[in-house]
Amino acid sequence: MSTERIPVARMDSTYAGTQQLLIEVADILGHKWHPVIIHQLLREESLTFSGLQSAIVDISNKMLSDSLSTLESQGLVDRDVVSEKPVRVRYSLTDRGRELESVLDPMVRWGRDHLDDSMCSMTGSTSAETPESAGSTSADLPGSPRRNGGTER
């Protein structure tokens, strides 16, 4: 991914068009749990409902179910019924959903650089960088299992 800035004039042919694109992207990523769910599916490739719920700290069954339905309707998540009895479903990212990794990485980097510990403590996470997290990516969002086996909160 290029880190070069795109001149505002080149973002879209009209300022109103750019505003609309930003609103639509914010609608997807602005939901508290959507980036976290996408992040987990980037890490694990595919997970069952219970696998997602156990990997995501503090998400309720209803919120996870509603969020997965929304992400599926937006073409970001695939839902695959693995077995009928008992019903087992696996969730994975579509190609479109996997492309969001290049959006989540800078979000995490910005959060680490600009959110102080007091702001993160309100959400149960920390922006303090440890040697293990140096150079990490979206695979290290708060509340997710860390590469070293612990859980970042």
Side-chain angles (χ1 to χ4, degrees):
M1 181 178 92
S2 174
T3 57
E4 290 183 37
R5 291 183 161 254
I6 299 172
V8 173
R10 288 186 45 217
M11 284 186 179
D12 198 280
S13 60
T14 67
Y15 186 66
T18 299
Q19 285 181 349
Q20 187 58 39
L21 284 172
L22 290 170
I23 290 167
E24 290 176 21
V25 170
D27 189 43
I28 295 169
L29 294 179
H31 186 279
K32 177 180 179 177
W33 297 109
H34 291 181
V36 178
I37 292 168
I38 292 166
H39 148 260
Q40 281 304 135
L41 291 173
L42 282 166
R43 286 180 60 112
E44 301 292 330
E45 225 169 285
S46 78
L47 285 166
T48 62
F49 185 90
S50 61
L52 273 167
Q53 187 172 35
S54 66
I56 300 172
V57 177
D58 294 334
I59 192 167
S60 69
N61 280 343
K62 180 176 178 9
M63 186 55 64
L64 179 57
S65 179
D66 290 351
S67 295
L68 285 167
S69 294
T70 300
L71 292 169
E72 183 181 9
S73 71
Q74 292 169 333
L76 301 172
V77 169
D78 275 332
R79 181 180 185 272
D80 182 35
V81 178
V82 177
S83 66
E84 294 295 326
K85 292 188 180 181
V87 175
R88 280 187 50 113
V89 178
R90 291 194 73 79
Y91 296 92
S92 60
L93 291 174
T94 63
D95 290 340
R96 184 177 176 200
R98 280 189 291 281
E99 288 177 10
L100 287 171
E101 183 171 21
S102 64
V103 175
L104 294 178
D105 284 342
M107 287 174 62
V108 170
R109 205 171 313 114
W110 186 91
R112 285 197 176 115
D113 291 346
H114 299 287
L115 299 178
D116 63 23
D117 289 338
S118 64
M119 288 182 77
C120 291
S121 66
M122 288 185 250
T123 62
S125 62
T126 180
S127 64
E129 184 135 357
T130 62
E132 298 89 28
S133 66
S136 57
T137 66
S138 65
D140 294 313
L141 286 174
S144 65
R146 301 278 306 231
R147 287 189 182 127
N148 64 3
T151 299
E152 183 179 51
R153 286 185 139 254

